[in-house]
């Protein structure tokens, strides 16, 4: 596949906000190709041969890190995983020091996850590598939004005109923010549903409709996207209890019936079963596309690495 | 003493309303004469200041100096250099140092350090509460005797209503006032930017603007209750200013200041996580900036303070929420204020009064005036000369200017402290 325009002109993927619909569409098309290729069993292309991809994770993650690792390896890159435990990184010089270390290692592609919003952007200013944001604080998680969009597009045949309900802890969710930017850019109707204490200020200004009632919010939804209740980020009792949360905002059969009969259910994982989602829904192959999200994750990350590597080659 | 005749300057004295071409004679560190036909004894050096403005040295109501405890950020000596370059001759220093200025000996230490610079009157605030911890009120009487100019916990709000009541009440006995950082601590905890659309997009923990107005409202009620004098520092929202305006109309002893970032910048300055624009209180939406300008115009705001907060690279080169809040402000105090004059919001004399006689009057000091017999604390500036603020090239030590890159019109060309030229 070739493109007539640079898809990620900054040479990084730091956020979905700011990407234009044609760029998003091109990334999804490329990712879809990789999804087909992956299913055919053809792997280890040499697109990234001789390139070094470093997974720099300041927060624990198994799924995203593994997904990037697999994507890099399938494209032939040398993949290194660096996990930096949060306890040893409370000093910010470490982030700048890390950048200098990475420069000395001649890293080409840097995948960063960090508990602080904007940390990948800060690193991108200091490293020579292309930086991919794998989740920063409560800001963005761009590859998650891409894989969610690809999953929806494959299931529903399109993005435009769909009604997508994003439910739960929107306040602390970088997944929600990236999805809101991507889906509104692609002309979906996006709703966010949650208790007012878990909805960020001025959320409507992001182009979404805000609901505090699950029944009203799910009515007519094509896609129900559940968010992980970020208990580890929860400061100071934003909800009184998880049982109350599940009662009013957890997805079970009864609530899912309020959405369209063919609505699909998504979750970025890892799930808190019995808190934001009932196991019966999560494991229902008719409704849940959670497994496919993981599959599309690898394909989307391959697409992003591919696009950034094109720019790397251009710069050589 | 080096006597000097400054000739043909545009003399600007907000206290008397003087704005006229004239000369000023410095003798023995004092203003010996000023007017159109001043003559100097033979042999007195003269400076031709044609085309330049001569005004009282600026009185800065609020600056954090790194000393004692944070000398890596800034020393008193370094702050004196920055102040001189900014035309500032008197600075009130915050007491939330390490250790906090809650002991007469510490107040005297800062006073002595200030005197040793030879170029600056450095007037420390005393801690409003012991250790600036917001619990028990400090020894206002003894601190006042030692030279404390007034009382505050600096960058920390006095969050406990009872403690604030006692502080306002007790300060009356010593004819002093309490300066509040108006931000409800429980609402502001952990926040990095003003709550709203921008903070939501950037994924930054927000501080609702109401955190400011609700503490202002509470403290106005306490001023009414105690008869004490509360002064609100760096007021940044229209809602808080409306409350202060009403309290003044009611006749309560309520005063306030603001700082240049709050009438020159809005929240968009934090852009892509620009930590130099991370301040406390955080930068606000444009409507609040406009409200601050309106309050400067209508007199609700009593003074413009630099709100200088030195931070070093390690404090700022961090992810936004982890970076320290605060901006360097000494070198840009006059320039940013003059931008409001050039922008047509404030007449020149009125702008200067907010930097000189008004804060001096609030503090009960005889400075900030061009008067015969007064100390020759003077700033000579070119109202039109352009320059660009460049972090890394600012005078003094602290380089963390939120105005980095800002083009300004109006530059200090000379500063005199008690007749001694300390800049230019």
């Amino acid at each position: 596949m070739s493109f007539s325009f640079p898809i990620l002109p900054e040479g990084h993927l730091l956020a979905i906000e700011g990407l234009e619909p044609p760029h998003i569409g091109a990334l999804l098309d490329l990712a879809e190709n990789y999804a087909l290729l992956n299913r055919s069993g053809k792997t280890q292309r040499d697109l990234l041969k001789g390139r070094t991809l470093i997974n720099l994770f300041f927060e624990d993650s198994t799924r995203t890190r593994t997904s990037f690792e697999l994507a890099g390896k399938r494209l032939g890159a040398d993949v290194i995983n660096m996990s930096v435990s949060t306890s040893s990184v409370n000093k910010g010089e470490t982030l700048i020091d890390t950048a200098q270390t990475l420069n000395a290692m001649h890293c080409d592609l840097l995948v960063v996850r960090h508990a602080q919003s904007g940390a990948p952007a800060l690193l991108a200013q200091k490293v020579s590598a292309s930086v991919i944001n794998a989740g920063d604080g409560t800001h963005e998680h761009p590859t998650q939004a891409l894989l969610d969009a690809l999953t929806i597009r494959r299931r529903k045949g399109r993005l435009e005109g769909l009604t997508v309900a994003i439910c739960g802890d929107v306040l602390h969710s970088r997944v929600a923010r990236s999805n809101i930017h991507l889906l509104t850019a692609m002309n979906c109707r996006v709703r966010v549903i949650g208790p007012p204490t878990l909805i960020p200020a001025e959320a409507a200004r992001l182009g979404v409709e805000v609901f505090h009632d699950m029944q009203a919010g799910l009515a007519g939804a094509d896609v129900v996207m559940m968010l992980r209740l970020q208990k580890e980020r929860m400061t100071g009792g934003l909800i009184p209890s998880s049982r109350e949360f599940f009662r009013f905002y957890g997805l079970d059969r009864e609530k899912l019936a309020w959405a369209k009969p063919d609505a699909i259910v998504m979750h970025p994982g890892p799930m808190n079963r019995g808190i934001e989602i009932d196991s019966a829904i999560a494991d229902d192959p008719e409704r849940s596309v959670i497994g496919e999200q993981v599959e599309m994750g690898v394909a989307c990350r391959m697409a992003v690495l591919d696009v950034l590597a094109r720019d790397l080659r251009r710069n050589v | 003493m080096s006597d000097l005749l400054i000739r043909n300057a545009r003399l600007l004295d907000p206290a008397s309303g003087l704005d006229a071409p004239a000369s000023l004679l410095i003798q023995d560190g004092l203003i010996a004469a000023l007017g159109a036909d001043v003559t100097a004894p033979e042999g007195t050096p003269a400076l031709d200041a044609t085309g330049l403005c001569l005004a009282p040295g600026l009185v800065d109501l609020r600056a954090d100096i790194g000393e004692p405890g944070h000398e890596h950020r800034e020393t008193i000596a370094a702050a004196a250099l920055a102040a001189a370059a900014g035309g500032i001759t008197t600075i009130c220093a915050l007491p939330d140092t390490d250790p906090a200025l809650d002991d007469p000996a510490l107040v005297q230490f800062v006073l002595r350090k200030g005197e040793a610079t030879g170029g600056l009157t450095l007037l420390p605030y005393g801690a409003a509460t012991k250790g600036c911890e917001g619990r028990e009120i400090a020894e206002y009487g003894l601190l006042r005797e030692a030279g404390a100019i007034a009382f505050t916990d600096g960058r920390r709000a006095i969050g406990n209503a009872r403690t604030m009541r006692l502080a306002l009440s007790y300060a009356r006995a010593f004819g002093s006032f309490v300066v509040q950082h108006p931000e409800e601590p429980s609402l502001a905890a952990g926040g990095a930017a003003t709550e709203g659309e921008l903070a939501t997009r950037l994924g930054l923990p927000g501080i609702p603007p109401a955190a400011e107005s609700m503490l202002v409202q509470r403290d106005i009620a306490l001023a009414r209750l105690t008869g004490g004098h509360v002064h609100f520092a760096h007021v940044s929202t229209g809602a808080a200013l409306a409350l202060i305006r009403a309290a003044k109309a009611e006749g309560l002893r309520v005063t306030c200041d603001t700082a240049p970032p709050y009438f020159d910048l809005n929240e968009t300055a934090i852009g892509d996580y620009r930590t130099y624009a991370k301040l406390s209180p955080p930068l606000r939406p444009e409507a609040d900036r406009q409200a601050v300008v309106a309050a400067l115009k209508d007199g609700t705001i009593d003074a413009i303070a630099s709100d200088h907060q030195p931070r070093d690279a390690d404090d700022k080169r961090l992810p936004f929420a982890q970076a320290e809040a605060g901006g360097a402000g000494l070198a840009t105090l006059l320039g940013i204020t003059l931008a409001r004059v050039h922008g047509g919001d404030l007449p020149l004399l009125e702008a200067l009064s907010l930097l000189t006689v008004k804060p001096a009057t609030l503090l009960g000091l005889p400075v900030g005036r061009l008067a015969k017999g007064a100390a020759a604390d003077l700033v000579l500036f070119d109202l039109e000369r352009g320059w660009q603020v460049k972090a890394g090239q600012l005078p003094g030590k602290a380089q963390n200017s939120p105005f980095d890159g800002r083009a300004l019109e109006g530059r200090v060309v000379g500063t005199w402290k008690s007749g001694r030229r300390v800049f230019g």
Side-chain angles (χ1 to χ4, degrees), chain A residues 17 92 117 138-139 177 201 205, chain B residues 195 197 200-201 203 273 318 321:
Chain A
E17 187 174 17
S117 301
T138 57
H139 176 224
R177 282 176 182 69
R205 300 287 292 268
Chain B
E195 188 172 288
E197 182 184 350
T200 292
R201 284 181 188 275
Y273 304 105
L318 288 169

Side-chain angles (χ1 to χ4, degrees), chain A residues 17 92-93 95-96 116-118 122 126 138-139 177 181 200-202 205-206, chain B residues 195-197 199-205 272-273 314 317-322:
Chain A
E17 187 174 17
E93 303 105 296
L95 196 60
I96 302 300
Q116 291 292 329
S117 301
L122 179 61
K126 308 284 176 189
T138 57
H139 176 224
R177 282 176 182 69
H181 294 312
E202 306 288 345
R205 300 287 292 268
L206 272 52
Chain B
E195 188 172 288
E197 182 184 350
T200 292
R201 284 181 188 275
L202 291 171
L204 295 174
D272 291 326
Y273 304 105
D314 290 337
R317 235 186 289 153
L318 288 169
F320 195 88
Q322 288 179 327

Side-chain angles (χ1 to χ4, degrees), chain A residues 92-93 95-96 122 125-126, chain B residues 72-73 192 270 272-281 283 309-328 391 398-402:
Chain A
E93 303 105 296
L95 196 60
I96 302 300
L122 179 61
Q125 292 169 14
K126 308 284 176 189
Chain B
H72 64 287
R73 288 173 174 161
I270 68 174
D272 291 326
Y273 304 105
R274 238 180 108 245
T275 57
Y276 276 13
K278 182 178 177 181
L279 306 175
S280 174
L283 289 170
Q309 305 274 345
R311 298 290 176 265
D312 73 0
D314 290 337
D315 294 325
K316 287 291 189 182
R317 235 186 289 153
L318 288 169
F320 195 88
Q322 288 179 327
E324 292 270 350
Q399 299 297 321
N400 55 306
S401 172

